[in-house]
Amino acid sequence: MARRTQGTSAGLDRGKIARAAVTLVDRDGLERFGVRRLAQELGVDPMSIYHHHKGKAALLDAMSEVVLVEMMADAGDPPDGWVETARWVAQHYRALAYRHPEVFPLLVTRAQTAPVALTALDRLIGAMRTAGLPDRVVADAPMTLFGFLNGYLLAVLNGQPGTTPAVDPSGYPQLAAVAPLQADYGTKAEFDRLLDTVLAGIRSRAAGT
């Protein structure tokens, strides 16, 4: 593809560039991503990209925003109740992670301050406050929920769902005893069960405050 010069827009805008970057990372992985490679993919000079995104860091943030916007567009309206809202957020976040596993680490490692991310959190916090949960519990809830979601999803995206490492019962008898109960590693059933544990913990703390 012939490369356009620095001053040629090629019909680019911030959204088009970010969506192309997501497609490139989905295909080739985050480690291989760079502005020059993206420029080659779009057939433009790298400076055409920098005209819209002031550096690679800004572009990475825009990529995070693109996939979150996609997630919320698919999610529809949240249900009533804070537990149902938390499940709604968690289930769609999990779906996003599996749809964009190469992009997902950006959601974990970069601060998510785009309006779409703040809107989702605001809905969750609003549902919790409406239900009468103490503000201290409400303030801690996003970190509790997303600490679980980010850690768990990063782990399972790098593993083999439905499998667990073999454990030598002679050396690790307690691990071996519970290993059969971990055979659904990475499955939706396990995700739902662990999510239940997290939400039960938030509920219990609210009741005891």
Side-chain angles (χ1 to χ4, degrees):
M1 180 182 295
R3 177 176 293 183
R4 296 174 186 265
T5 61
Q6 176 179 336
T8 305
S9 70
L12 295 180
D13 58 36
R14 292 184 75 257
K16 181 176 180 179
I17 293 169
R19 289 189 294 274
V22 167
T23 299
L24 183 60
V25 171
D26 280 342
R27 189 187 73 201
D28 296 340
L30 190 58
E31 290 184 357
R32 297 184 60 196
F33 176 74
V35 174
R36 289 188 177 277
R37 292 197 71 230
L38 178 60
Q40 287 181 328
E41 196 75 11
L42 290 170
V44 300
D45 187 278
M47 293 308 297
S48 296
I49 293 175
Y50 287 125
H51 175 74
H52 296 279
H53 295 277
K54 306 304 181 184
K56 183 177 179 180
L59 180 54
L60 295 177
D61 288 338
M63 293 164 61
S64 298
E65 184 175 4
V66 161
V67 296
L68 287 172
V69 167
E70 176 188 299
M71 180 189 87
M72 295 305 293
D74 293 341
D77 294 328
D80 294 329
W82 78 264
V83 172
E84 292 76 11
T85 300
R87 289 188 192 283
W88 172 79
V89 170
Q91 297 292 353
H92 287 287
Y93 195 67
R94 177 182 181 271
L96 180 155
Y98 278 90
R99 190 160 57 244
H100 298 289
E102 297 293 339
V103 178
F104 181 72
L106 293 178
L107 302 180
V108 179
T109 58
R110 306 189 67 79
Q112 301 305 317
T113 58
V116 63
L118 298 180
T119 296
L121 285 179
D122 194 67
R123 288 177 173 176
L124 174 60
I125 289 173
M128 298 180 84
R129 298 191 76 206
T130 297
L133 273 67
D135 275 353
R136 177 71 272 167
V137 175
V138 173
D140 291 343
M143 185 64 73
T144 302
L145 178 61
F146 281 93
F148 158 66
L149 291 174
N150 288 334
Y152 177 82
L153 290 169
L154 278 179
V156 299
L157 288 173
N158 288 305
Q160 295 294 324
T163 63
T164 54
V167 177
D168 179 4
S170 64
Y172 310 99
Q174 305 310 319
L175 286 175
V178 300
L181 298 176
Q182 299 172 328
D184 61 351
Y185 172 75
T187 64
K188 188 174 185 301
E190 183 194 53
F191 177 82
D192 289 342
R193 187 172 64 250
L194 297 181
L195 178 60
D196 283 345
T197 301
V198 172
L199 297 180
I202 295 174
R203 188 188 295 110
S204 177
R205 182 155 177 252
T209 300

